[in-house]
Amino acid sequence: MQALILAQASESSGGLGINMAFFISQLISFGIVFLILWRWGFPALLKIMDKRQAIIREGIENAEKAKRDLAEANNRAEQLLLEARRQSAETIERASKNAQQEANRIIEEAQARAEQVGQQQIARIQQEANRARNELSRQVINLSIEAAGKVINKSVDSKDNRRLVEDFIVATDQTRNN
């Protein structure tokens, strides 16, 4: 009888073409699968989704942190570049000052050396002048002795005597001028 009822039920399913028995069995199967998924499947899926969400959130936070770190690194690099430029300018300025001081020192040394050489030359010239004076004095003495010897050896009168002295004076003046 039940088969008959089922057969009638299947024929009386209406114009929609739905088999009620099949529909109910499908509904019960769906309910069982839903309960199994509700008990064990959904919590596992939710855990996996939470883990993935945490990983994604962590990735986004890391990316934002990396972006901030990059901006900070860029700022630090810019500051380091500015400091390096400032230090290089100071170093160049110090080097220029040192070079100028060294150039001034070299110039002063050269001037001192030139002054020393000039003084040595002046001293040498003075020595030459003194030597020439001594030589001149020696020649004057020799000439005086010679003139006196001529005056003594020659018997001259006062007129000849006067002429010899004048000649001697002229010769002495000419020797001094040369």
Side-chain angles (χ1 to χ4, degrees):
M1 190 152 169
Q2 287 184 355
L4 186 61
I5 294 174
L6 284 175
Q8 283 178 351
S10 66
E11 286 178 9
S12 67
S13 59
L16 296 176
I18 296 176
N19 186 347
M20 233 3 165
F22 184 69
F23 178 72
I24 292 175
S25 72
Q26 288 292 320
L27 192 59
I28 292 172
S29 293
F30 177 76
I32 292 171
V33 170
F34 183 76
L35 287 176
I36 291 172
L37 285 176
W38 185 264
R39 175 76 175 146
W40 294 286
F42 289 143
L45 286 175
L46 288 175
K47 283 182 185 177
I48 291 172
M49 287 176 43
D50 286 342
K51 284 181 184 177
R52 283 203 173 193
Q53 186 178 16
I55 291 171
I56 291 170
R57 186 179 309 115
E58 184 179 341
I60 290 172
E61 288 172 358
N62 287 339
E64 288 174 357
K65 183 181 178 203
K67 188 176 180 180
R68 284 190 307 269
D69 290 346
L70 178 62
E72 288 176 12
N74 284 337
N75 287 338
R76 281 192 305 247
E78 189 66 32
Q79 289 173 351
L80 288 174
L81 283 172
L82 290 174
E83 181 64 20
R85 286 181 184 138
R86 185 188 61 78
Q87 287 177 353
S88 65
E90 288 175 0
T91 302
I92 290 170
E93 185 178 337
R94 277 195 311 269
S96 295
K97 285 180 182 177
N98 289 342
Q100 185 62 40
Q101 288 173 349
E102 186 64 19
N104 291 340
R105 185 189 64 78
I106 291 170
I107 289 170
E108 288 173 3
E109 284 181 6
Q111 288 173 344
R113 180 69 180 144
E115 182 67 28
Q116 183 182 13
V117 168
Q119 289 175 354
Q120 288 174 350
Q121 292 299 325
I122 289 171
R124 190 173 294 145
I125 289 170
Q126 288 175 346
Q127 287 175 350
E128 276 298 311
N130 287 338
R131 190 186 61 75
R133 278 190 207 109
N134 290 338
E135 180 65 25
L136 183 61
S137 294
R138 190 181 57 76
Q139 286 179 359
V140 166
I141 291 171
N142 287 340
L143 284 175
S144 297
I145 292 172
E146 234 179 83
K150 285 183 182 179
V151 168
I152 294 174
N153 287 336
K154 188 175 181 186
S155 68
V156 289
D157 59 4
S158 69
K159 190 177 182 186
D160 285 334
N161 219 1
R162 185 171 291 198
R163 189 182 50 76
L164 284 174
V165 171
E166 286 175 1
D167 287 344
F168 174 73
I169 291 173
V170 169
T172 304
D173 283 342
Q174 286 177 352
T175 305
R176 282 187 189 166
N177 290 338
N178 290 336

